[in-house]
Amino acid sequence: MEHDVAWKKYDEADLEALEHLAAEYIDFISDNKTERECARTAIALAEEHGYASLDDAVREGRALKAGDKVWAQAHGKALILAHLGDKPLAEGLNILGAHIDSPRLDLKQNPLYESNGFAHLDTHYYGGIKNYQWVTLPLAMHGVIAKKDGTVVDVQVGDDPGDPVFCVTDLLIHLAGKQMAKKANEVVEGEDLDILVGNRPYTPASADSPADGSDVPADATDAPIDADKEPVKAFALKLLAEKYGIAEDDFLSAEIEMVPAGRARDLGLDRSMVIGYGQDDRVCAYTSLVAQLAVEHPAKTAVCVLVDKEEIGSVGATGMASQFFENTIAEIMELAGESGPLPLRRALAASSMLSSDVSAGFDPAYAAAFETKNSAFLGRGLVFNKYTGSRGKSGSNDANAEYVARIRRIMDDAGVAFQTAELGKVDVGGGGTIAYIPAKYGMDVIDSGVAVLSMHSPWEVTSKADIYEAFKGYEAFLKNA
């Protein structure tokens, strides 16, 4: 069965709402390129919509009741929003869950070195990438540096128009005969993804005049290391000391991510698509977030979960596999007068969840990788994947048929355009999401999201129609599941 293109059903009001949502989404993914930035912005938006800190409520012993809105965060990189409904929590929650981490290059703990007149930063890639896609690409530096005195310095260089950018270099085609003969996964090896950050040596003149023209702190005019031995590295460290007040050993306690520089943009003569970094999975995270904020007077408690580390297995204290989700729901139930391990288990088992993650959009340039009857197409609406996994559904959640039927009813009643899909051909495709993790509580979970072209590349492509239908679908689910 073939689903129609969502664009065909839109009137002027729909098109205006679609473009407004797309513009705000483009701003969000352009301004928030790390999980920390996404979480910080989401908290600010939530507070504008009446959400209050759960930690404050716990500290004050403040009771929660229907209509109350609270947020909780884990280490600044994962977030839960809850809007309490009229029904007891033990009757279940309606949950949207997405991840806010994306593939990138992370700086190593001892990253800065000089070689043959160039200063470089050594990296370790994060998540599944094609290494060769990251060469000669303008990169921005985003993250934090935690100093021994307890201060945390925000770092963001490369996305303002006046900023410098960075890159990984590549070998010119004239000398690349041996390189071109390699397999794609060997053309650029992981250890070769080093970031070029400087070529100017430290000199007595540079000690008195910083490259950006700013005033030089009195204690920053001396070369941080042996300027005769490593002059380019010395100058790079001097600039870091001037701008951020950091020394080389502060990299030991830093989280710096190298991401594609530049804003997301409209794509196509018809401006029907969005091209930008990190749409896996921020296209689902953003639409889940705004759907959560749009819900008023829910019958069941509405929850939005935005987590970290999905791209590397949902591990760690900020991943879905941590106790952050369960502990937060337990705290909410305690303040709502439904405390205890058994009510918590009942609430989780009775819950329904959309694991909001992207799906592979059918690409006619690579049609051989897809089975068209069960593929997601851009512009045909929200995608539901009954199962993901690979090689015989390995690692899949595989939603129950009864739950799929309920989701179909909710989407049809709300007029949401949707489609179903698998992630490529049976022996070709596959992938995982967070769905299998909350499913361990016995709740109903299904993967749902937006179809993406060029997934996991530095610049990914989505349809504005699918973004709009995802928002509508997520809102309908929170109201009616």
Side-chain angles (χ1 to χ4, degrees), residues 64-85:
L64 297 179
K65 61 185 185 305
D68 285 345
K69 306 174 185 179
V70 292
W71 62 265
Q73 61 86 26
H75 303 283
K77 293 184 280 187
L79 174 68
I80 293 175
L81 306 180
H83 185 165
L84 274 68

Side-chain angles (χ1 to χ4, degrees), residues 95-132:
I95 306 165
L96 300 173
H99 67 92
I100 50 178
D101 61 315
S102 294
R104 59 184 189 254
L105 304 180
D106 285 345
L107 295 194
K108 293 185 178 182
Q109 287 187 283
N110 185 22
L112 184 60
Y113 70 94
E114 179 175 337
S115 177
N116 297 297
F118 292 104
H120 287 88
L121 291 169
D122 205 356
T123 71
H124 191 135
Y125 63 85
Y126 174 96
I129 67 170
K130 295 178 179 178
N131 294 356
Y132 63 80

Side-chain angles (χ1 to χ4, degrees), residues 355-376:
S355 169
S356 308
D357 208 339
V358 296
S359 191
F362 178 86
D363 189 337
Y366 304 98
F370 297 87
E371 191 269 287
T372 54
K373 299 193 309 301
N374 291 285
S375 293

